[in-house]
Amino acid sequence: MIYQPRVNEGNKRKRRFTAGVIFILIVFLGIFGLTRAGKNLSGIAQKLIAPIFKAEGAFRGKITDLISFSSKSELLKENESLRQELGKVAADILDTEAVKEENSKLQAMLQRSDNKKLLLANVLSKPNRSIYDTALLDVGSENSVREGMLVFGYESVPIGKISDVYKTTALLKLFSSPGEIATVEVGEKKIPTTAVGVGGGNFRMLLPKDTPIKEGDLITLPGMPLYPLGTIEKIQKSETETLAEVFFKSAVNIYGLSEVFIVMRD
Amino acid sequence: MKFRVFSGILFLLFALFLPWWFSFFAGCIFLLIYPNFWELILGALITDLTFGTPLSRFGGFTLALTVLSLILFILRRFIVRRLFIKAPLL
């Protein structure tokens, strides 16, 4: 006896429909992903999502206030340790201010004044939320933000550049995003080289073994004024290799930032 | 059906508010449970449209997560059949 397989027309149609949808999706994704034709779509998505992130930020703040309540003795202890820390930082700031003043005087003498204009931006979404290691900022073309503008973690520590600008939002691409290459200068001798981002605010550089550098040396962006990226954390040298692997970390904890500064004019 | 809708909403919330690797892992689990978990692609597309920027590690492609989720969506049929998992579980 020959059994005819029962063809379920409904299932067949469903499968064809799914295959068709997937095919159309692949074609669209190819076009949008490679040509950036989907930038308008991104603008719409960001317009819809930005208010949600803003509300989340406000809600998170309130929750943190509620959770962070602790006992009186613990608060006193914390207060005392913070006071001590503040005293140390105040002394450091005095020192830094003196150096800054001296620096600006020298720059003025050399006609290289540092009169940069900064724009404060709130971080709506931190970089670890996406695979792209980008942060969403609450300023956009409405605030005269342009692609390629430098972004500081504090007022003088560069962390990345603006990669995409929409009407009310902008995307910050970090220097430390995995695979991203930044031109830097290392140490007192300002040795020019490239640093490759490895994610999480970390960088890796390859330099000849006999390069005069040591742990703690400053790494800056090239040019004037000096913008410090971080300091050398580790130098790995192997007997068989001609190059030394140098690791450094951004001077700013990028995941802890709630505000950043965009350099509008340098 | 209620669980299906709840899972979809939960996943979209994960995609918006939690680190990408967590949402991705949760999405894979939901995909194993439900045969047509379209929310995985939708969540990935929202993430890509919101945060996507040309990066050298993705060859300048800005919809990497969407493509990855689409591949997983297609592969799911074969993987589940091989693993002898009867879907849907719920």
Side-chain angles (χ1 to χ4, degrees):
Chain A
M1 192 185 273
I2 299 165
Y3 289 99
Q4 287 282 331
R6 275 199 293 174
V7 182
N8 189 336
E9 275 301 317
N11 272 352
K12 218 174 172 184
R13 211 173 294 154
K14 215 174 175 182
R15 255 184 228 170
R16 270 188 202 155
F17 174 75
T18 311
V21 169
I22 288 169
F23 177 74
I24 292 166
L25 264 173
I26 290 169
V27 172
F28 272 98
L29 291 179
I31 295 167
F32 280 124
L34 286 170
T35 60
R36 298 290 285 137
K39 211 176 171 187
N40 287 337
L41 216 57
S42 292
I44 297 166
Q46 295 214 355
K47 213 173 183 179
L48 293 172
I49 284 165
I52 300 173
F53 284 144
K54 278 180 190 168
E56 185 223 352
F59 180 72
R60 197 182 280 254
K62 280 190 178 164
I63 291 285
T64 313
D65 287 348
L66 278 174
I67 293 170
S68 60
F69 179 76
S70 49
S71 72
K72 200 177 169 184
S73 62
E74 266 178 52
L75 277 175
L76 278 170
K77 228 185 252 178
E78 196 185 338
N79 193 11
E80 188 53 41
S81 73
L82 284 173
R83 261 174 213 271
Q84 281 178 4
E85 211 172 300
L86 193 66
K88 277 183 207 166
V89 174
D92 282 348
I93 287 173
L94 272 178
D95 199 27
T96 315
E97 286 301 321
V99 174
K100 263 188 184 173
E101 207 179 307
E102 192 185 341
N103 186 28
S104 54
K105 271 181 192 167
L106 284 169
Q107 281 188 10
M109 277 166 68
L110 297 166
Q111 295 177 345
R112 295 295 298 264
S113 63
D114 178 18
N115 55 349
K116 59 180 186 281
K117 190 185 160 201
L118 300 173
L119 174 74
L120 180 75
N122 284 312
V123 179
L124 293 178
S125 168
K126 298 218 159 78
N128 61 343
R129 281 206 193 159
S130 80
I131 199 168
Y132 300 93
D133 217 15
T134 50
L136 188 64
L137 309 178
D138 73 340
V139 288
S141 55
E142 266 183 356
N143 310 86
S144 312
V145 175
R146 301 276 172 270
E147 278 177 24
M149 281 179 166
L150 198 62
V151 181
F152 287 165
Y154 298 119
E155 281 182 40
S156 58
V157 182
I159 53 169
K161 280 187 175 178
I162 298 291
S163 65
D164 293 270
V165 183
Y166 304 96
K167 204 176 172 192
T168 54
T169 53
L171 272 181
L172 157 65
K173 183 156 82 173
L174 299 169
F175 288 132
S176 62
S177 288
E180 289 305 297
I181 298 167
T183 310
V184 294
E185 287 177 345
V186 189
E188 283 170 21
K189 292 195 173 169
K190 295 180 142 293
I191 300 153
T193 183
T194 52
V196 182
V198 288
N202 298 299
F203 297 86
R204 180 176 162 265
M205 295 184 293
L206 284 174
L207 286 166
K209 257 203 298 197
D210 54 353
T211 312
I213 51 164
K214 58 184 185 304
E215 282 172 19
D217 272 0
L218 195 68
I219 289 142
T220 57
L221 285 185
M224 284 281 279
L226 282 183
Y227 293 136
L229 268 181
T231 49
I232 295 178
E233 299 239 324
K234 199 177 180 186
I235 303 170
Q236 252 178 15
K237 286 178 185 174
S238 125
E239 298 248 328
T240 51
E241 301 286 333
T242 51
L243 296 169
E245 261 189 310
V246 181
F247 296 95
F248 73 96
K249 205 175 181 178
S250 174
V252 175
N253 174 17
I254 46 171
Y255 298 118
L257 287 176
S258 52
E259 288 133 17
V260 291
F261 295 90
I262 301 170
V263 183
M264 305 299 282
R265 189 188 62 221
D266 203 354
Chain B
M1 188 62 191
K2 267 184 199 168
F3 282 115
R4 176 72 179 80
V5 175
F6 176 72
S7 306
I9 294 169
L10 192 69
F11 174 71
L12 290 178
L13 289 174
F14 283 171
L16 277 178
F17 300 117
L18 293 178
W20 71 270
W21 52 266
F22 183 87
S23 328
F24 190 71
F25 181 69
C28 290
I29 290 171
F30 284 134
L31 193 63
L32 280 176
I33 298 170
Y34 304 111
N36 283 319
F37 195 68
W38 287 100
E39 289 87 341
L40 179 75
I41 299 168
L42 183 67
L45 189 65
I46 291 171
T47 311
D48 282 343
L49 288 176
T50 314
F51 303 110
T53 194
L55 285 183
S56 52
R57 67 169 158 163
F58 298 129
F61 192 70
T62 56
L63 296 168
L65 212 55
T66 312
V67 169
L68 187 64
S69 60
L70 197 64
I71 291 167
L72 281 176
F73 189 85
I74 298 164
L75 281 181
R76 187 250 175 220
R77 286 164 193 276
F78 303 103
I79 293 168
V80 167
R81 214 175 287 160
R82 293 275 157 89
L83 286 172
F84 298 102
I85 293 172
K86 282 183 182 173
L89 292 175
L90 294 169

